Amino acid sequence: MKFIKNHLMFILPLMAILLGIESYLVFSRSTNTYQKNLIDDYSMLVVAKKPLELKIFKNLNNHIYSSKEIERESIVSDVAKGINKDDTKEILDELPYFYNLKLDSYLNSSQLDSIKQDLKSNANIKRVETFGSSYKSNYRLFMFIKFILNVFIIFMATISIFLIIKQMEIWKYAHKERMRVMEIFGAPLMLRSGILFKVAFFDAIASTILVSSIFFYLKFYWAVSSGIDMIRKNQDTLFRMTDIGILLVSSLIIVIISVYTVVFLNHGADE
Amino acid sequence: MSTVINASNLTLSYDNGEKEIIRNANFNIKKGDFVFITGPSGSGKSTLLKSLYGELKANRGNLIVGGLDLCNISNGKLQELRTHMGIIFQDYKLINEWTVAKNVVLPLMIAGYSPEIQETQAKRLLKHVKLSKYGDKFPLELSGGEQQRVGVARAMAKNPVLILADEPTGNLDDYSSNVIWDLMENSCQQLDTTVLVVTHKIPTVFTLPYRHFIIENKGVYEVH
């Protein structure tokens, strides 16, 4: 029981930090996908007097990633059914040029307004439509979710760090006498802290396995049976094999910092 | 005979020199010497001993132990020096979560001896201190006298050049104290080790020739 209790005292806060890291990774991947979809779905409409190349748009504002001209012929064919060819040509000559512009990233409404102003500065551009309202609400919701999750992760990490510091205090006293005796008899640092490292490495590996198992379960069992379409579609973002490496490295870094802190706090300390 | 410890104008203090304990001490201890250092409580006996294993640095003067200047010694060299010392404490300083056998072979473990050699040496050392049956027990299962015998066995484990003992019988009854003095006499004779014992009183049962230093008014004086 004491063995389990001693390990759980470090494993649980370590797990909380790793859960925070993994949640951040999952959320980053999900939001990246969501952001990419928003960017893909979003375009600005530009009406121009003359044909314009992408280079010209990019010179006006470097957030413009691509431009696609809307086929003028198809617009005319839609509005001028039953009109003879000469009249159609006349309409076509009078018709301005329409472009769909894609952006390179997810921008807020003031940045969109700035792009609009830049585009309008070109004399050949007659009109720019940014479709701001729906974009703005999506953006705000998106940023709000991201903010809430980050606050939660930071809160969880802070509490966990305090718990780890508490455990370090326990380690400091539990290993103090042994480390002092070994130091007096000339044991080098690595030998003195060897037992503590073994304990801490065991806890780091156990925490990594437990957190990986939780997300493995979420990805391969819960996501499939959840019946939530959005989760099933984004199943891949829930857990990746590379996450095990990230979690293990993170937990080992925390462990090394914790153990060395304890070792140096105990170094030369008088009883 | 070669010098093991040489102190010249040694001054020791705490609190960055504000609390002076030993002032301008001069003494020389040779290989094979058995030395008692006595003095009233708080006179600085343990402080002097601490300085000999590098736990406390001198404020002034020189302190050479085993040919190394402890006033200017790197951590690595100090570690190396400590592996050639055996130290016995009044409160035993055994590692309570380790078995008696493991405690005894700590210096061998630090020196990187194989587990087989450690096991053989543990049996030999425990036999020497008459604790053969206690190898698998833990220190807290033993009496004070028995724990100190483990401490003595540990100090002798690597045939050290120098054994330092801080009030080794301070917590023991007369019978246990006599056993410890007997063991230390035997060790000194068998190993030809230099032994320096800090104690408040020289034991009456002691039979070997010895040198006696007394600490008084911050000075260290040899009693002839």
Side-chain angles (χ1 to χ4, degrees), chain A residues 15 30 53 60-61 71 73 76 79 91 110 115 117 131 139 154 156 172 178 196 224 226:
Chain A
M15 269 183 77
S30 307
E53 287 179 7
L60 290 169
N61 190 293
E71 289 283 328
E73 287 77 8
V76 173
V79 296
I91 294 169
S110 68
I115 296 172
Q117 294 308 317
F131 311 108
Y139 183 83
I154 289 167
M156 219 160 78
K172 189 184 152 192
R178 180 180 48 74
L196 194 49
V224 175
S226 68

Side-chain angles (χ1 to χ4, degrees), chain B residues 80-134:
Chain B
E80 169 68 19
L81 177 68
R82 283 176 175 180
T83 62
H84 297 290
M85 290 180 179
I87 306 170
I88 302 166
F89 298 93
Q90 182 177 2
D91 59 354
Y92 328 125
K93 287 210 186 317
L94 300 176
I95 299 169
N96 293 330
E97 61 268 29
W98 287 5
T99 62
V100 163
K102 198 173 173 183
N103 267 286
V104 165
V105 294
L106 172 67
L108 303 179
M109 193 192 295
I110 292 168
Y113 283 78
S114 70
E116 292 77 26
I117 294 176
Q118 288 179 37
E119 198 182 325
T120 314
Q121 289 299 306
K123 281 179 185 163
R124 183 186 66 81
L125 289 159
L126 287 173
K127 192 178 171 190
H128 182 70
V129 296
K130 297 179 178 62
L131 289 172
S132 293
K133 290 177 185 169
Y134 294 78

Side-chain angles (χ1 to χ4, degrees), chain A residues 180-181 183-185 271, chain B residues 55 82 87 93 110 154:
Chain A
R180 282 291 296 131
V181 173
E183 188 182 359
I184 288 169
F185 279 86
E271 65 270 30
Chain B
E55 189 71 5
R82 283 176 175 180
I87 306 170
K93 287 210 186 317
I110 292 168
R154 179 179 63 183

Side-chain angles (χ1 to χ4, degrees), chain A residues 82-114:
Chain A
I83 296 173
N84 66 45
K85 263 191 175 176
D86 288 343
D87 291 342
T88 307
K89 193 177 176 302
E90 207 173 310
I91 294 169
L92 201 61
D93 289 342
E94 290 298 317
L95 202 66
Y97 295 84
F98 298 93
Y99 293 93
N100 261 326
L101 301 185
K102 297 273 184 195
L103 305 177
D104 64 347
S105 57
Y106 197 80
L107 305 171
N108 61 32
S109 41
S110 68
Q111 287 171 307
L112 288 177
D113 286 341
S114 155

